[in-house]
Amino acid sequence: MSHRRRRTIVLALLLGGSVLPLATAPPAQAAQGCLHDVPVVPILTPAGCDDTTPPVTELGTTAPRITASGWINKRTLRVGYTGRHSDADPDPIAFQCSLGTDPAVPTDQEWYDCPEDRVFRRITPSTTPYVLWIRAVDSADLSVRWSDGNLLSSNDEPVDDVDPTPVRLTFRIDNVAPDTRVAGLPRDPFRPDLPMVGTARPRLRLSATEAATFQCTVNGVDVPCTGGTTTLPALRPGDQVLQVAAVDRAGNVDPSPATVRFAVPANLAPRGRTPGWKQVRRRGYLGGDYLRSSRPDARMVLRVGRFRELRLLATTGPRAGVVEVRLGRRWQRVDLRRTTTTVHDQVRVRDHRAAPLPGRVEIRVVRGRVQLDGILAH
């Protein structure tokens, strides 16, 4: 408790019409090792007791968790804190708090009783850091105005009944979720809603309306990704659904993740020997290789799932050849000749609106030099 200034008081006894001054007693000393504050009262408690060991404040976890950069994403903060006595003091412990934006240690007037449920509510979102101070209080001793009983001295309680080293939390509030953007898919003249990529590891650009990290899934499975240009892990052939949610520095997650769809072709590299076809390893191609043949009637048979649309990933150009593709019982001619050379050209053999077919595709060379990299059957 705070020291208070004493005024000199002279007590007198009127005895026989004379005034006799009352002698002042020497200052009383508090008993050592006290666990409670007991004021000095002549005759009743002449020794008195001053508990000079305040309780200790200990900080626990918060909800929501304060991020490493000092942010929370709610206007309500629950704080776990406890207090303990470092001696055998059995007195109950209460807590005082101070919440504001001033980083200085609070004055006596700025402390108030902490909420009983340890929840601080309706905090205004701000980029200015909030500072929350918490200190443990010996509630039993705090209500006792300890005195040494000497009216002429100022030897009031020399040690307060509160933790002199309160704990401190600093945080800022952002409760607005970011918006996520995904770019980098190729423009597809056949299926703008489901473009075909030319690799099993497509590269995309991820961004958000504010600084953020990203959570990504492909077909519901978590995959690693980063902001800016990110390369997805190797994907299986077929249709893919990528969902990306930005997470800002306060932990706000985009509630409506960006969703994109695309299709990955299958590599045509042979499993074992395919007569008439040569496997050429080359960087930049699907699976790091492609198949080449100039032998008429060289064939390959592919097992795929039931499909509607069929595309070939091939090299087209003035010197490219011609192939035939068997769809069910019918052979369909596919001319790879173009006026200019395109290495990873998408050649559509069958429309996605066609009736589904069983999962078997056969390709044979008609004439010329044929270079095939992949196939999309879905």
Side-chain angles (χ1 to χ4, degrees):
M1 67 188 65
S2 60
H3 297 292
R4 62 183 182 274
R5 182 177 299 174
R6 297 179 183 274
R7 293 178 302 175
T8 304
I9 301 175
V10 179
L11 299 179
L13 296 176
L14 295 178
L15 297 175
S18 62
V19 179
L20 299 178
L22 181 65
T24 303
Q29 300 295 324
Q32 299 297 316
C34 293
L35 300 179
H36 309 282
D37 281 352
V38 179
V40 173
V41 178
I43 300 175
L44 297 178
T45 54
C49 178
D50 181 18
D51 181 1
T52 59
T53 305
V56 177
T57 315
E58 295 179 339
L59 187 63
T61 59
T62 67
R65 180 183 62 86
I66 300 176
T67 67
S69 55
W71 291 86
I72 62 173
N73 58 5
K74 305 291 183 184
R75 295 186 60 189
T76 298
L77 179 65
R78 182 184 299 275
V79 183
Y81 50 85
T82 58
R84 63 177 177 84
H85 289 289
S86 58
D87 55 11
D89 192 337
D91 287 345
I93 295 176
F95 297 92
Q96 293 180 343
C97 294
S98 179
L99 176 63
T101 56
D102 187 349
V105 178
T107 63
D108 288 343
Q109 292 74 28
E110 292 173 328
W111 290 100
Y112 57 87
D113 292 338
C114 296
E116 292 185 2
D117 58 1
R118 291 168 165 74
V119 178
F120 300 83
R121 295 176 172 84
R122 294 185 292 276
I123 310 173
T124 303
S126 173
T127 56
T128 302
Y130 283 99
V131 182
L132 172 62
W133 297 86
I134 305 170
R135 66 182 183 182
V137 178
D138 187 327
S139 57
D141 287 350
L142 190 66
S143 62
V144 177
R145 299 174 65 85
W146 185 86
S147 169
D148 62 3
N150 187 346
L151 300 178
L152 300 181
S153 76
S154 59
N155 189 28
D156 284 348
E157 187 167 6
V159 178
D160 283 341
D161 299 306
V162 299
D163 186 351
T165 57
V167 297
R168 165 178 162 164
L169 280 175
T170 302
F171 60 92
R172 290 176 286 183
I173 300 177
D174 174 8
N175 61 349
V176 178
D179 191 29
T180 314
R181 303 187 183 98
V182 179
L185 285 175
R187 293 184 178 181
D188 193 314
F190 307 116
R191 295 288 304 274
D193 61 322
L194 188 64
M196 172 179 159
V197 297
T199 173
R201 303 189 64 195
R203 299 181 68 187
L204 303 172
R205 294 188 301 276
L206 311 184
S207 61
T209 50
E210 58 180 293
T213 58
F214 296 88
Q215 298 173 346
C216 297
T217 64
V218 175
N219 299 332
V221 178
D222 292 340
V223 295
C225 60
T226 58
T229 300
T230 190
T231 301
L232 297 178
L235 303 175
R236 291 185 176 183
D239 297 350
Q240 316 291 333
V241 179
L242 169 67
Q243 286 193 320
V244 183
V247 184
D248 68 15
R249 56 194 173 184
N252 296 297
V253 181
D254 186 350
S256 55
T259 302
V260 295
R261 293 173 171 81
F262 57 92
V264 175
N267 185 22
L268 285 179
R271 292 176 173 82
R273 183 176 178 80
T274 301
W277 294 90
K278 180 180 180 181
Q279 181 182 10
V280 180
R281 299 191 180 277
R282 188 74 55 84
R283 292 185 61 182
Y285 286 81
L286 181 65
D289 55 24
Y290 62 88
L291 295 182
R292 185 178 67 198
S293 179
S294 300
R295 194 180 84 178
D297 206 40
R299 303 188 181 207
M300 70 173 76
V301 177
L302 306 170
R303 299 291 180 181
V304 297
R306 288 178 64 84
F307 66 94
R308 295 176 183 269
E309 183 182 26
L310 180 67
R311 300 190 205 183
L312 297 178
L313 190 60
T315 297
T316 58
R319 303 176 64 180
V322 178
V323 298
E324 286 184 333
V325 180
R326 186 172 183 175
L327 302 173
R329 297 181 179 180
R330 183 175 62 88
W331 287 92
Q332 180 173 326
R333 179 161 293 201
V334 180
D335 194 340
L336 303 178
R337 292 173 295 180
R338 305 286 189 274
T339 55
T340 58
T341 300
T342 304
V343 175
H344 303 291
D345 201 2
Q346 296 185 30
V347 181
R348 197 178 202 187
V349 180
R350 196 166 190 267
D351 189 272
H352 68 281
R353 291 165 292 192
L357 288 177
R360 183 181 186 276
V361 176
E362 186 175 354
I363 302 174
R364 69 183 180 189
V365 177
V366 176
R367 63 175 178 270
R369 182 174 179 175
V370 176
Q371 186 171 305
L372 301 179
D373 190 16
I375 184 172
L376 177 64
H378 66 151

